[in-house]
Amino acid sequence: MHVPDGFLGVPTSVATGALAAVALGLALRGSRRELGELGAVRAGLTACFIFAAQMVNFPVAAGTSGHLLGGALAVALVGPWTAVLVMSCVLVVQALVFADGGVTALGTNILLMGVVGVGVATLVSYGVTAILGRRGRAVGRPVGRGGVIAASAAGAFVSVPTAAAAFCLLYAIGGAVPIPLGALTLAMVGTHLLIGVGEAVITAAVVGAVLAVRPDLVRLAGREGTPVTAVTLADGTVVLRSAVGGAASGVGVSSGGGASGDGADADVRRRAERPRLGRGTAVIALAATVVVAGGLSLFASTSPDGLEHVAGALGFAGSAVSPLVHTPLADYGIAGLGAVGTTLAGLFGVALTLGLGLLVVSGVRRGRPRGAGAVDDQPRPTEERR
């Protein structure tokens, strides 16, 4: 649902750009606490995976396709404020390098997908986990893996048609071609409800996969009262376990070494509050991203996406302009190279998005004041010894 240049008039584009700038300023400030827990690499990998996944259009109906927006997925993995930054990095690379979304419409796209989409996904997914958490506490059971997956899927499903409805409102304010608001809303929301189903399925699959192997890396799970427990084994090894499932990570504690008593407990708590991504996990995540961008993208549907389809049906597709349409990597390909060009463009986009994401979030983390790494709203680990 990338809005091109020309769909909205200049005053509306300037206004959405200003709103997006304000939202980014708030996100830069709000993400400091999240990034103190996450680390730059985790946020950067989330950004480049979403970029890769957006290359894979899936068929919807009647010659229409859709693709992952990714706001709900980013919220589940890295938190709402960082999700705004992640989505903005993806959209900047797409607009300036791949001519996907307009340059003057960049603020509009950040507002729709990076602010509205992320905001709605946050309200829905955290709302669902809160409800499930209250019910679970009533019977002495925390939110399980299925609850976290359902919450992220619900946020994903609702976020897509809501962003589409927000576009309709902007178009009613400053659209290039007069279109009845009712007809536009019916077409956009109806089409994007179907795309929202695909968004929910993809989001649930990715969140479920991460929960299965590293539940401590799903921030949506950690935020809803699922304690991380430090279990000291007979050999002195401390293993951090999450109620969502499995061992989160392990750290050896020598029974005769200097790391013991309160110092060891404090170290375990710090590690529990700030889950380490790990080199192996990072390599696996990057490999999966490369497979999506360089392989699965070759099987993407060539049908127009939801916005393009609606614009063509209602007669305002001709107002779109793109000053970057003839750039070397426009439309995620390289002229004359066919599938190889798509693969190379995808891999370059992954590298560029990862680099931009790391640059942005590393700058945010460096800007944190001393002591900002503490995560006061995170549940403290309890201790079990045997």
Side-chain angles (χ1 to χ4, degrees):
M1 197 181 66
H2 295 73
V3 180
D5 294 325
F7 274 13
L8 300 177
V10 173
T12 305
S13 296
V14 170
T16 56
L19 291 173
V22 171
L24 283 174
L26 295 174
L28 287 169
R29 183 179 180 87
S31 64
R32 290 175 180 175
R33 179 180 240 179
E34 293 173 350
L35 290 171
E37 172 196 354
L38 301 174
V41 175
R42 183 167 154 194
L45 286 171
T46 301
C48 68
F49 180 81
I50 289 174
F51 170 87
Q54 286 196 6
M55 290 183 64
V56 185
N57 280 46
F58 51 86
V60 177
T64 309
S65 70
H67 61 72
L68 181 78
L69 296 189
L73 178 59
V75 167
L77 296 179
V78 299
W81 292 115
T82 307
V84 174
L85 300 182
V86 162
M87 293 299 297
S88 298
C89 289
V90 173
L91 292 166
V92 166
V93 171
Q94 290 172 332
L96 300 183
V97 180
F98 296 93
D100 191 7
V103 176
T104 61
L106 181 58
T108 300
N109 286 314
I110 290 176
L111 187 65
L112 292 176
M113 291 182 274
V115 178
V116 173
V118 167
V120 170
T122 300
L123 291 175
V124 174
S125 58
Y126 280 98
V128 171
T129 52
I131 294 171
L132 294 177
R134 284 195 294 269
R135 292 180 177 177
R137 283 190 292 272
V139 296
R141 186 169 56 193
V143 179
R145 180 180 298 146
V148 175
I149 294 172
S152 62
F157 173 72
V158 177
S159 67
V160 176
T162 304
F167 167 79
C168 296
L169 179 60
L170 292 177
Y171 196 90
I173 295 172
V177 178
I179 301 292
L181 179 59
L184 178 63
T185 303
L186 180 62
M188 282 291 292
V189 174
T191 300
H192 285 84
L193 279 171
L194 298 176
I195 296 174
V197 174
E199 181 93 9
V201 170
I202 296 171
T203 301
V206 176
V207 172
V210 178
L211 282 173
V213 293
R214 288 290 304 272
D216 56 316
L217 296 183
V218 179
R219 198 170 192 276
L220 180 62
R223 286 294 297 270
E224 183 41 50
T226 47
V228 178
T229 302
V231 182
T232 303
L233 305 179
D235 62 358
T237 301
V238 177
V239 178
L240 305 179
R241 300 187 184 278
S242 167
V244 179
S249 59
V251 37
V253 178
S254 172
S255 58
S260 60
D262 294 338
D265 293 342
D267 181 64
V268 168
R269 287 190 176 93
R270 283 193 298 270
R271 290 172 183 266
E273 290 173 350
R274 302 185 186 93
R276 297 184 64 183
L277 182 64
R279 183 176 300 175
T281 303
V283 169
I284 293 172
L286 187 57
T289 301
V290 167
V291 169
V292 173
L296 290 183
S297 62
L298 300 178
F299 302 96
S301 172
T302 58
S303 298
D305 68 14
L307 177 57
E308 293 171 339
H309 177 79
V310 171
L314 296 184
F316 63 94
S319 61
V321 295
S322 178
L324 301 179
V325 71
H326 298 299
T327 55
L329 298 178
D331 201 26
Y332 303 94
I334 300 176
L337 295 185
V340 174
T342 300
T343 296
L344 292 176
L347 296 180
F348 179 74
V350 165
L352 193 58
T353 308
L354 176 60
L356 180 60
L358 290 175
L359 180 65
V360 170
V361 299
S362 295
V364 173
R365 294 187 77 220
R366 283 196 297 269
R368 289 186 298 126
R370 291 181 180 271
V375 186
D376 298 329
D377 61 347
Q378 294 297 311
R380 295 300 238 185
T382 56
E383 186 177 11
E384 297 177 6
R385 296 190 180 275
R386 56 183 175 131

